[in-house]
Each structure stands twice: as C-alpha cells, then as structure tokens.
Amino acid sequence: MAYSELWFVLVGVLFVGFFFLEGFDFGVGMATKFLARTDTERRILINSIGPFWDANEVWLLTAGGAMFAAFPHWYATMFSGFYIPFVFLLLALIGRGVAFEFRGKGDTERWKKNWDIVIFLGSSLPPFLFGVVFASFLQGLPIDQHMEMNATIFQVVNVYTVLGGIVVTMLCYVHGLMFTTLRTVGSLQERARAMGKMLLLPLAALLVVFGIMTYTMTTAFESRAVVMAVLAVLGVVAYILAGYFMSKKRDGWAFGMTGAIIALAVSSVFVSMFPNVLISSIDSAYNMSVYAAASGDYSLRIMTIVAATLLPFILAYQAWSYFVFHKRVTEKEHLEY
C-alpha cells in the first residue's frame, strides 16, 4: 500500500472516530431541547458528556491536521470551496464549548435559557453541515483543471445534500439518546430509550430515500458496487439489531449498533470516493485523486512514523478517561454546569 493510500484510510478512520464519539455528544446536546423536561435534567444530560466532549472534538482537529499535512491540495480546495459552511461550523462548535462552561455561571432563568439555545444550535448545526458537505462529495463538485472549486449556493445546498444533512443529524440524535440510556437512570433513561425506538421508523425512511437518491444521482456505486452493497447490508443488519436491543433494554449493545450505523455510513463515503478525494461535476478528468492531492513520500513516511509512535498513547488515554468516568449521572451528584 502506498503512503498516500494509507493516509487516505487514516483520514477516513479519524472521521469515523469523530462521528462515532462526537456524534453522541451532538445527540445529547440536542436532547437537552427535546428530551429534558426540567433544568435538573438538562444539567444531568450536559454532565453526562462533560468529561468527554472536548476530547472527542480532538478527532476532528486531528483529521483536519492530517488532511492539511498529507493532502494539501485536498485541504486547500475543500476549505476554500466550503469556506462559509465551515465558518458557521466553527462558530457553532466554539459557541457550544463556551455554553457548556458559562451556563452554570449565572443564576437567572434567562441566562440559562440563552445558553441552552446555544448548546442546541451548537449540537444540531455541525452534524447537519457535515451531512451537507459529505453529500456534496458524493454528488460531485465543480472542480476545474486547476483544482479550484467555484460552487454556487445551489450546487452545495439542494434537496439531496439537505437530506444528507438531516440524515446525519437524526443519526447523531438517536446515537445520543442511546448514550443517555447508558449514563442516566430513572425516568430520563426510560424516555431516552422510548424516544430512540420511536425515531427508528422515520430514520429508516430517511435512510432509504437518501440511499435511493445516492444510487440514482451519484456515481458512488459505479466503481465500488460490491463493497458498497456489503456496507449497505451490514448497515441494515446493524439497524435491525439496534431496534432489537432497544426493545430488550440492552442499552450497551443498542449504543454499539447505532454507532456501527454511523461508522458504516461515514466509511461508505470514503469507499465510494476512492481513488479520488474530490469528484468533479465538470469533467471526470478533473477528479482530484489520492495520488495527485498527496504530499511527497518522504513527508508521508515521517508522518507515519510519528503517528505510529504517538497514536497508541492517545488512544490509551482516551480509553482510560472513559473508564474513569463510566458511572451514571444522577440528581444526587454535584452538577456543576
């Protein structure tokens, strides 16, 4: 395997890790609006992700850094072409982090409600924008022979990409509800499980419609038809198992299955694009390949050595943090947010 191919896989793995971990953070943030009924329940939900959300966002930073170092042409074209969506994404993530810290610094109801709005927007807008961007990858973008993208608003925001954004947002919300069942007790836990089961049917309908549109409107299934079919079958199996485990109150397994659905969905985007990192809607000759977008072999080799050295320590630290803070959050515990 060439270094460029290896780093394409690593970037994909980093995005899978980000959506699996930060996905439940986003879902819990949305649950503060739709699931929580009292201020205490909102504080419990926020505290359930308190030890994890900032470390989970590091996966996104690492993925962006890996793209910048390993695929500078991909990074430059994507970040310049999606400048406005990424600015809103960054502002949403900043506001969300500030809201987590500032919500408990005031005693008035208005103060808390204002920060609750920021938490909701900061939790729902990023997965929606990511869904729009990833759907745009599948649909193809107006990239010319100079690796420049000049897309109009309707080439990025249309029925297909908006549906992709809604699907990703819904997936994160259900994933967050399953995480809530692992971290809470009593009525809040039961309502999270019930809401997760209730959303399975509409989410399935959205996934089916999006899958049909992807098959008919994009080239995602042309060169990787067999692999994409396998991923789709695995996704269906994971979806059915998620519903089964929810009904049996096997919350850990249900959480694993919703995470598997997200991981398979993100993986399918990268599988369908390979050997390209960006697909041109102007001419397939302008597709940006993994090899054309990559840095030199020497740079990639040094990056591989550094990553292989540091990654085990980073993974061990994050696993340890999840183990330390694995206990459920209850009303009797100190709630600082």
Side-chain angles (χ1 to χ4, degrees):
M1 178 185 289
Y3 283 114
S4 56
E5 296 172 346
L6 173 64
W7 275 94
F8 179 78
V9 172
L10 290 177
V11 169
V13 170
L14 288 170
F15 273 107
V16 168
F18 168 73
F19 279 101
F20 185 98
L21 296 172
E22 189 69 2
F24 70 71
D25 284 349
F26 290 145
V28 172
M30 287 182 269
T32 61
K33 174 71 172 179
F34 297 118
L35 181 68
R37 295 176 178 174
T38 65
D39 180 65
T40 299
E41 289 187 345
R42 292 186 189 93
R43 294 169 70 185
I44 290 174
L45 289 175
I46 295 171
N47 272 315
S48 71
I49 59 173
F52 313 124
W53 68 267
D54 48 355
N56 292 342
E57 285 188 359
V58 172
W59 286 77
L60 176 62
L61 298 176
T62 307
M67 290 175 64
F68 174 77
F71 302 100
H73 297 296
W74 182 15
Y75 181 93
T77 301
M78 186 179 73
F79 276 76
S80 60
F82 289 109
Y83 184 82
I84 294 178
F86 283 163
V87 166
F88 281 103
L89 172 66
L90 183 61
L91 291 175
L93 291 175
I94 292 173
R96 179 170 170 266
V98 172
F100 284 150
E101 300 297 331
F102 275 53
R103 185 185 186 277
K105 306 303 181 184
D107 296 327
T108 65
E109 192 68 21
R110 183 175 181 180
W111 172 273
K112 293 180 180 179
K113 284 185 177 180
N114 288 339
W115 288 118
D116 286 340
I117 293 173
V118 176
I119 290 173
F120 172 72
L121 293 177
S123 299
S124 56
L125 190 58
F128 176 78
L129 291 175
F130 272 119
V132 170
V133 170
F134 275 60
S136 299
F137 287 170
L138 297 175
Q139 182 177 250
L141 295 159
I143 300 169
D144 60 23
Q145 66 271 31
H146 304 295
M147 297 186 181
E148 295 181 357
M149 185 176 79
N150 296 294
T152 65
I153 182 66
F154 296 109
Q155 288 174 310
V156 176
V157 181
N158 49 61
V159 174
Y160 175 70
T161 60
V162 169
L163 180 60
I166 295 172
V167 167
V168 174
T169 305
M170 284 280 287
L171 278 172
C172 289
Y173 184 45
V174 174
H175 192 43
L177 290 172
M178 291 303 97
F179 181 78
T180 299
T181 63
L182 295 175
R183 293 280 288 162
T184 60
V185 296
S187 173
L188 187 60
Q189 180 193 44
E190 292 294 333
R191 281 187 279 118
R193 188 183 298 114
M195 184 173 288
K197 289 192 291 185
M198 181 185 68
L199 292 175
L200 280 180
L201 186 59
L203 178 56
L206 289 173
L207 286 169
V208 169
V209 173
F210 184 73
I212 293 173
M213 293 181 70
T214 301
Y215 180 77
T216 57
M217 296 176 59
T218 73
T219 61
F221 290 85
E222 288 185 0
S223 59
R224 297 286 184 272
V226 175
V227 180
M228 293 293 287
V230 171
L231 292 175
V233 171
L234 291 175
V236 171
V237 172
Y239 203 93
I240 294 173
L241 289 176
Y244 171 77
F245 289 128
M246 287 181 195
S247 64
K248 298 297 183 180
K249 297 185 179 182
R250 302 286 296 276
D251 299 323
W253 284 99
F255 173 75
M257 291 301 103
T258 56
I261 297 168
I262 292 176
L264 290 167
V266 177
S267 298
S268 67
V269 175
F270 286 88
V271 169
S272 65
M273 289 196 302
F274 187 81
N276 302 304
V277 291
L278 288 175
I279 298 172
S280 174
S281 59
I282 299 175
D283 191 326
S284 60
Y286 301 152
N287 290 351
M288 187 183 299
S289 71
V290 169
Y291 315 104
S295 299
D297 278 349
Y298 179 76
S299 298
L300 294 177
R301 185 166 66 253
I302 296 300
M303 289 171 56
T304 302
I305 295 172
V306 173
T309 304
L310 297 180
L311 189 59
F313 295 98
I314 297 172
L315 293 176
Y317 166 76
Q318 191 158 21
W320 176 252
S321 69
Y322 276 93
F323 173 75
V324 171
F325 296 103
H326 71 280
K327 292 183 179 180
R328 297 179 184 270
V329 180
T330 65
E331 296 183 15
K332 296 181 179 180
E333 295 179 345
H334 176 68
L335 302 173
E336 62 183 34
Y337 290 105

